[in-house]
Amino acid sequence: MSNLPPKKAALPAADGQATPPVGSVATTPSPVAANWRGYLRVGSIVTETPGVKTFRLLASSGDGLLPFTFVPGQFLNVAFSIGGARMNRSYSISSSPTQREYVEFTIKREPRGAVSRHIDDLLKVGDLIEAGGPIGKFTFDGTEAENIVLISAGVGITPMVSITRYLTERSWPGEIFFIYTCRTPADFIFADEVAALQQRNPKLHVAVTSTKAEGTNWKGPRGRLTKELLTQTVPDLASRRIHICGPPTMMDATKAILTELGVPAEQVKSEQFGATKPSPAAAGTTAKATVAASGPLVTFSKNNKSAKIHDGQTVLELSEELSIGIEFSCRVGTCGVCKVKMTSGEVDQAVQDALDADDKANGIILACQAKPKGDIAVEA
Ligand SMILES: Cc1cc2nc3c(=O)[nH]c(=O)nc-3n(C[C@H](O)[C@H](O)[C@H](O)COP(=O)(O)OP(=O)(O)OC[C@H]3O[C@@H](n4cnc5c(N)ncnc54)[C@H](O)[C@@H]3O)c2cc1C
Ligand code: FES
C-alpha cells in the first residue's frame, strides 16, 4: 500500500517490556502498556463471515515477539492515510494475549466506512500498519470476578472472543456465559472457534440467537436478546459481572433488560465501538458552523487561533471548524487519540476512559469529550 513505509523502514523502538519465552503460556499480562507506537506487519488474512475478515498482525520484522503485551478486551489504534487525509480508528484485539507472536483484528466492512473499506479492499499480506496501544479498560483477565457474563452482537464479539480464548487457555476455573446475537446464522463470527472452545472448556456456556434465521435450518434461539433467554442461560444473573459490546441500540436494550432484572449498574461494563453517525470529519471533510457561536472562548495556542464555541459543542468539533488538525478515532472517549493539553480553564468530559491519573494531573483532556465551562486554552 502506497501510504505505508517501505519494509525496511526504521521503526520506533518497542517499549522494552519483559516477555515470556516463545511458545510458553504468558502469565497475566501487565495491565497497561499504552505507550507503544510503531508498525505491525500483516501476516495473514482470513474471511470469517460475509464482510468480516480477521487480520493477523506480526512484529514488523515478520518474526519474533510482539513489542507489547495486552489484557484481553483491549484494543489498538491504527492510522491510515486515505485520499490525503490521516484517519485513525480503533480495533479490539480478538486473539488471546497468550499468543505473544501476533495479534488479530477482526474487522467488519462498513458499507460506507472510510477505513474499514480501505482495509477490506487494499490491505494485503506483508503490508505494514501504523498502530499504537494497547489501550482500554474494557478488560477481563479472570482476576476481577469469579465468573463472567459476556454479551455481544455483531462484530462486538471481538473482545469477548479474546477474553474467552485467554480464560480457556489459562484453564480459568470460573464459569463463562457467552451470549451472542447475529443477524443470519451465516453472520455468526467465530462460530467454529466458539464451538471448539466449548469442547475444551466445560465451564463455557454459550447461547446464540439469530435475528434473521428465516429460511435457514438454525436450531438455536431466534430474534433479539430477551429477558427470558438471559435468565435461562445465566442463573443468578443479578449477582454476576457482565460485559456488553455491540451496536448502540443493542447495548441500550440489553442494559434496560439488566436493570429490569435487578442487575446493579456497577456490575455492568460496556464498550461502544465508535460514533453511531459518521461525523463530517470522519468522512474527511471539515465541519462548518451555520450559526454564530456565543459560548466560551477556546484558544488553540499552537495554531494561534481562538473562537467561541457553540452550546454543546466539543473542543474537537470546534477544532474541526477551524482546521486545527487534532487527531481522533472513536469520538466516544475511549481511545485517547484526541488527547490535548489544556493550559488554562476547565472542561466537562462525559467519558474519560482514555485518561489515566497522570494525564489528569498534567492537564490532558479528551478533545472529543471536552465541553468548556469557561474560556480555555489548549496546546493544539
Ligand atoms: C474501542 C473500539 C474497538 C473497536 N473494535 C472494532 C472491531 O474489533 N472490529 C470492527 O470491525 N470495528 C471495531 N471498531 C469500530 C472501528 O473503529 C470503526 O469505527 C469501524 O471500522 C468503522 O470505521 P470506518 O472508517 O469504516 O467508518 P466511518 O467512515 O467512520 O463511518 C462510520 C459509520 O457511518 C457509516 N457511513 C459512513 N459514511 C456514510 C454516509 N455518507 N452516509 C451514511 N452512512 C455513512 C459507515 O457505514 C459506518 O457505519 C471499534 C471501535 C472502538 C472505538
Ligand atoms: S477520539 Fe477517542 S477518546 Fe477522543
Side-chain angles (χ1 to χ4, degrees):
M1 294 171 60
S2 57
N3 57 319
L4 295 168
K7 289 190 178 189
K8 297 291 178 195
L11 296 170
D15 63 6
Q17 289 180 77
T19 48
V22 182
S24 73
V25 173
T27 52
T28 301
S30 57
V32 176
N35 296 326
W36 175 79
R37 184 140 205 108
Y39 292 90
L40 297 171
R41 190 177 298 283
V42 180
S44 64
I45 304 174
V46 171
T47 299
E48 301 283 357
T49 58
V52 177
K53 287 179 183 168
T54 290
F55 299 82
R56 179 169 291 190
L57 305 171
L58 314 170
S60 58
S61 58
D63 54 19
L65 299 181
L66 292 169
F68 56 85
T69 58
F70 67 96
V71 183
Q74 286 192 300
F75 59 91
L76 298 179
N77 287 323
V78 297
F80 290 91
S81 169
I82 301 173
R86 184 177 162 86
M87 295 193 183
N88 296 279
R89 295 291 184 272
S90 308
Y91 290 104
S92 294
I93 301 171
S94 55
S95 54
S96 163
T98 54
Q99 301 297 340
R100 290 289 299 114
E101 288 164 308
Y102 64 82
V103 284
E104 289 178 342
F105 287 155
T106 302
I107 299 180
K108 179 181 166 211
R109 179 189 174 93
E110 294 291 346
R112 305 180 76 173
V115 174
S116 61
R117 281 188 306 154
H118 177 87
I119 290 173
D120 186 37
D121 291 340
L122 298 177
L123 209 61
K124 56 186 190 313
V125 171
D127 283 344
L128 287 174
I129 297 181
E130 185 186 339
I135 308 173
K137 296 177 182 161
F138 185 61
T139 56
F140 188 82
D141 69 4
T143 56
E144 302 88 340
E146 289 178 355
N147 48 68
I148 181 75
V149 181
L150 305 171
I151 304 176
S152 62
V155 80
I157 196 171
T158 51
M160 310 313 194
V161 162
S162 178
I163 292 169
T164 306
R165 283 171 157 162
Y166 177 75
L167 296 176
T168 300
E169 286 159 6
R170 299 294 309 275
S171 299
W172 185 64
E175 288 192 295
I176 307 168
F177 298 91
F178 190 104
I179 298 159
Y180 180 60
T181 306
C182 52
R183 261 170 66 77
T184 72
D187 294 316
F188 180 2
I189 308 167
F190 296 118
D192 292 346
E193 173 75 7
V194 171
L197 287 165
Q198 240 184 318
Q199 289 216 323
R200 279 159 45 209
N201 186 349
K203 297 279 182 71
L204 173 59
H205 312 281
V206 176
V208 178
T209 179
S210 167
T211 56
K212 295 253 181 287
E214 303 86 3
T216 73
N217 62 356
W218 177 250
K219 302 212 170 35
R222 295 178 179 225
R224 291 175 193 275
L225 184 61
T226 59
K227 211 166 29 173
E228 292 67 34
L229 180 61
L230 265 178
T231 48
Q232 280 160 18
T233 311
V234 189
D236 308 320
L237 183 71
S239 67
R240 300 183 191 269
R241 179 181 169 118
I242 301 173
H243 284 211
I244 313 174
C245 188
T249 46
M250 167 272 182
M251 297 217 296
D252 290 346
T254 306
K255 283 179 187 169
I257 293 176
L258 295 176
T259 305
E260 220 181 298
L261 291 171
V263 180
E266 61 273 16
Q267 281 168 219
V268 180
K269 316 285 168 201
S270 62
E271 183 154 270
Q272 193 175 317
F273 270 12
T276 40
K277 288 188 191 142
S279 73
T285 61
T286 304
K288 288 271 185 290
T290 48
V291 186
S294 57
L297 189 74
V298 180
T299 300
F300 298 93
S301 57
K302 284 189 188 165
N303 278 266
N304 212 12
K305 286 185 183 170
S306 296
K308 290 194 171 206
I309 198 160
H310 285 274
D311 192 28
Q313 198 177 27
T314 64
V315 171
L316 179 63
E317 288 162 350
L318 179 61
S319 77
E320 288 170 335
E321 279 181 22
L322 300 175
S323 302
I324 299 295
I326 296 177
E327 292 194 358
F328 64 89
S329 175
C330 69
R331 302 181 80 94
V332 292
T334 51
C335 75
V337 170
C338 67
K339 282 181 188 178
V340 287
K341 187 172 171 73
M342 181 170 67
T343 48
S344 68
E346 274 185 74
V347 292
D348 280 326
Q349 298 176 91
V351 181
Q352 304 182 37
D353 287 1
L355 295 180
D356 59 25
D358 276 356
D359 288 331
K360 289 177 188 169
N362 290 315
I364 304 295
I365 59 168
L366 299 173
C368 75
Q369 297 296 301
K371 295 187 177 168
K373 291 187 188 176
D375 294 354
I376 66 163
V378 293
E379 283 181 0

